[in-house]
Amino acid sequence: MTSNDETEPEVGNDQHATDPTASPVTPAEPTIAVEPKPDGAKKRQTRKKIAASPRRRTTKIALGKRARKPPSPTARFPRHDLDKSLRIPKAILDQNAGHPSTPDEAARFLNISKSGAFAVEISSAKKYGLLESRDGKLAVTDRAKRILRPQSERDEIEALRDAVLNAPDVSDVYNHYRGESLPDDTFFNNTLTDNFNIPADKVAEFRAIFLDSIRKAELIDESGDRIKLVDVGREGGAQPAKAPRPTSSTKRVSGEVAANASCFVMQPFSSPYEGYYDTIFRPAVERANLRPVRADTEIFATGKIMDQVWRGIRSADVLLAELTTKNANVYYELGMAHALGKPVVLIAANESDVPFDLRHIRVIYYDMTDPFWGSKLIDKIADNIISAINNPEEAIFRTEEV
C-alpha cells in the first residue's frame, strides 16, 4: 500500500539500476520558452555578428591595404618644349610692350581661356627662366628678351642654351650625355627612369620635349648614325645653372661601389697617350672610388705577360679603353673583356677610331682643341665608370647581336 506522499520511481533510473549494461542516460535539459523577436531585430543581430567576425575584419583590412598605392614620382621637367614655352613671353612683349601682365591679360593677348593648360604653360616658361612672378604679374625675363629681341649675333643662341641649362631634368640629362652619342632607346629610357627619376609613364613625353628643346638650342648633332649632344663646355659661352646631377660620380660613389673595386685601363703607351694615365685616367678612376690598374708595372712582375693581363681583366669590375689611334694591343685586350662580358667605358678623340660594331656601346668623345678638355674628360670618365657599374647593360658588348 502506497502513501500519497511517496513518488513513483522514474522509468529511466529504475532501468539503469536493474540493467548494468545499459548506457547512462543524460538528464534532459529544461525547455525555456523564448519570446520570438521581430524580423527587424533578427536582421540587426545577424548584421552585428557578421561585422564582428574576425574573417570579416581581416578582409576589410586586406582590401584597404590593396587599395592604397604608393604615390607616383612627380614630373619636374617643363611640360612644353622650349619653342612652345616662348609663346606667352612673346605675347607680353608684342602686346604690352614687355610690361608685366596679369595671367588674365596674358590669356587675352593670346585669345585663349585662363585654364589649367594655360597655367601649365606658364609653369613651363618659368622653368626655362623665360617668365618670373612680380607682384602677382608675369614679367618677361632678360633671357627671354635676348631670345625674342636679340641685340647681338650671339644673343639668341646663348640665351636659348641658358634656358636649356636652367630647366629641371632637361639640364641634368644634357649634362650627363653632353659630348656623347645618346644610347639605344631601351637603355636611354632605363637611364631616364632609374637615374633621373622621370616617371615611367612620362618618359616618351620627356624624350620629345628634351630633343625638341636641345634642337632649338643647337645642342644636337644629327649628322651621323646616332644622335650626339654638342658639348658647350663649362668655360665660356652658356654655363650650366648648377653642377651636374650627382647621380654617379658624387652621390652613388660611396653607396654603390664595392670596397677594393678595380678598373683596368687599356691604352696606347706611345706619346702623348702614355702620359694620360697619370694626368687623366688615374684621377678619374680614383674619383669614382675605384683602384686603377693598367697593363704595366701595376700588375706585371715575373711570369707570362698575357697571363697577368688576363687575370687583371678578369678580376676588374669595370674597364676603361682609350680607342684613339686604333692600337692593336688595346683592341686585343678589349676583345678579352667583351668575351668575359665585362662592362667597358670607351673613349676616343675621333669617331672614326671607333669601329661600327662598337658604336652601340656608349662612347665618350673628347676634343683636344678645347683648352679645358682634360678636366671635362676626367669628369665624364668618373661619371661613366659609376654608370657602367650601376647599369652594366649600357657598357657590355651584346654578343647575341653579332
Side-chain angles (χ1 to χ4, degrees), residues 264 309-316 319 333 336-337 340 342:
F264 189 89
V309 169
W310 174 257
R311 285 196 296 271
I313 293 174
R314 188 174 56 186
S315 62
L319 296 94
E333 295 167 7
M336 289 192 288
L340 289 170
K342 293 285 187 175

Side-chain angles (χ1 to χ4, degrees), residues 193-208:
T193 302
D194 298 340
N195 289 16
F196 298 98
N197 297 320
I198 304 296
D201 59 341
K202 299 286 190 301
V203 165
E205 178 188 357
F206 173 82
R207 283 178 54 127

Side-chain angles (χ1 to χ4, degrees), residues 95-402:
Q95 300 190 45
N96 202 34
H99 299 302
S101 306
T102 65
D104 288 330
E105 292 171 336
R108 285 201 302 271
F109 296 154
L110 294 167
N111 293 319
I112 59 176
S113 62
K114 183 186 170 185
S115 62
F118 181 68
V120 173
E121 187 174 342
I122 291 174
S123 174
S124 294
K126 288 181 176 180
K127 289 180 178 180
Y128 287 112
L130 306 174
L131 287 175
E132 59 186 13
S133 296
R134 292 182 193 168
D135 300 325
K137 294 185 177 182
L138 300 175
V140 180
T141 64
D142 290 338
R143 179 178 296 151
K145 291 176 182 177
R146 289 169 59 206
I147 296 172
L148 298 169
R149 305 277 177 86
Q151 298 184 15
S152 70
E153 184 179 351
R154 297 291 301 171
D155 260 1
E156 181 180 2
I157 189 63
E158 289 182 0
L160 286 168
R161 291 176 174 179
D162 284 341
V164 166
L165 294 170
N166 187 82
D169 291 336
V170 174
S171 61
D172 294 334
V173 175
Y174 168 76
N175 280 319
H176 185 71
Y177 287 109
R178 63 186 185 151
E180 302 176 25
S181 297
L182 293 179
D184 292 346
D185 289 349
T186 299
F187 300 139
F188 187 40
N189 293 347
N190 291 341
T191 302
L192 293 177
T193 302
D194 298 340
N195 289 16
F196 298 98
N197 297 320
I198 304 296
D201 59 341
K202 299 286 190 301
V203 165
E205 178 188 357
F206 173 82
R207 283 178 54 127
I209 291 170
F210 175 75
L211 292 174
D212 287 344
S213 296
I214 62 175
R215 191 176 287 115
K216 175 75 173 177
E218 299 180 13
L219 290 171
I220 190 170
D221 179 2
E222 300 178 273
S223 60
D225 296 331
R226 297 166 66 89
I227 295 175
K228 182 179 179 181
L229 301 190
V230 176
D231 186 356
V232 296
R234 289 188 175 89
E235 315 293 340
Q239 300 292 317
K242 55 185 178 181
R245 186 187 185 103
T247 56
S248 301
S249 57
T250 54
K251 180 179 178 181
R252 292 195 173 210
V253 162
S254 59
E256 300 194 23
V257 176
N260 298 320
S262 66
C263 174
F264 189 89
V265 180
M266 302 173 285
Q267 64 166 108
F269 288 96
S270 59
S271 180
Y273 304 101
E274 196 275 338
Y276 291 175
Y277 181 75
D278 289 321
T279 59
I280 295 174
F281 302 149
R282 180 195 288 272
V285 173
E286 291 177 344
R287 179 173 297 184
N289 279 353
L290 275 78
R291 177 173 55 86
V293 178
R294 73 170 174 174
D296 63 352
T297 55
E298 295 287 333
I299 61 172
F300 286 178
T302 58
K304 295 180 180 180
I305 292 178
M306 288 314 302
D307 287 347
Q308 297 184 59
V309 169
W310 174 257
R311 285 196 296 271
I313 293 174
R314 188 174 56 186
S315 62
D317 297 271
V318 65
L319 296 94
L320 173 66
E322 164 62 279
L323 302 182
T324 309
T325 74
K326 299 181 179 178
N327 182 273
N329 289 335
V330 171
Y331 277 98
Y332 186 81
E333 295 167 7
L334 179 60
M336 289 192 288
H338 285 161
L340 289 170
K342 293 285 187 175
V344 184
V345 175
L346 305 178
I347 64 173
N350 308 295
E351 188 171 358
S352 60
D353 286 326
V354 182
F356 176 78
D357 55 358
L358 292 181
R359 292 179 186 173
H360 69 276
I361 302 177
R362 187 173 174 186
V363 181
I364 303 172
Y365 294 102
Y366 59 92
D367 180 8
M368 288 187 292
T369 63
D370 183 344
F372 305 98
W373 72 273
S375 60
K376 294 177 185 177
L377 185 56
I378 290 173
D379 290 340
K380 294 300 293 183
I381 290 174
D383 186 73
N384 277 256
I385 286 173
I386 302 302
S387 179
I389 291 176
N390 294 332
N391 304 286
E393 66 277 2
E394 293 185 15
I396 291 177
F397 184 71
R398 300 197 294 273
T399 55
E400 68 274 9
E401 295 185 2
V402 178

